[in-house]
Structure formats: C-alpha cells, structure tokens
Amino acid sequence: MSNGTPWMSVQPIPHNSVVGGGALLLDAEGKSVGQVMVIGAAQPRQTEEAVCRQLVAFGDTLKALEALTGYLLNAKIDLETGTPKRTTIGTLEGGLRVARAAITRATGQES
C-alpha cells in the first residue's frame, strides 16, 4: 500500500562527524530510493532526528488526509440524503479524530 510518497519507510543514517547524518528513504521492498543528508547544522544530531520525524510524518499525514477526505465525503452524502443528524455528527467526529491524530504524530503535541 502506497502512502502517497515514493518511499514507504525512513531509516536514520547515524551521525558521522565527517559527513553528517540524515535518513535513507526506502521503498516497499526495503530498497533505497533516496537519501536526505543534514550537513553543517548548528545542532546536527537534533536536526537529523527532526528531519527523520518529519519525513515519517509526511507520509502519515498524506494517509490521514486521504482518510479525512473519505469522512468528509461521507458526511456530505449524509447531509444530502437526510441521514439523521447524529449519524452525520459521528462521521465528522471520526474525521476529526483522524486529523487530530495526524497532527499529534507530526508535531509530537496534542491538538
């Protein structure tokens, strides 16, 4: 299953004082499809960790947006077909849960 990106997972590259560090972008088979390096940062290890977190969050966020779109379309259908208000509210609440969870994963903070 694709997460909307050419990569399926991110593997940190350990920091090296000569070449820096970063992340390998791996496809579904575990083959490298790209590399992101952090070089010359004032706080290299913290920056590398943040880059890896954000790369993972990017793919998760795309999946969450796809799911949220489904919830919103279902809520629209609910409204157009006269479904009980409680059902539509439940659909929207489900979408909000997905969006809030994605924000939490991406930022490390509750939304």
Side-chain angles (χ1 to χ4, degrees), residues 9-66:
S9 63
V10 177
Q11 177 182 335
I13 299 171
H15 179 79
N16 177 299
S17 61
V18 176
V19 296
L24 284 176
L25 308 176
L26 307 174
D27 67 11
E29 298 173 1
K31 296 177 185 173
S32 176
V33 294
Q35 183 175 337
V36 177
M37 296 299 294
V38 176
I39 300 171
Q43 297 178 320
R45 286 184 178 86
Q46 293 90 334
T47 304
E48 292 156 13
E49 290 170 5
V51 166
C52 287
R53 276 194 311 275
Q54 290 301 309
L55 288 169
V56 170
F58 177 74
D60 289 346
T61 301
L62 287 177
K63 285 191 271 188
L65 284 172
E66 290 171 352

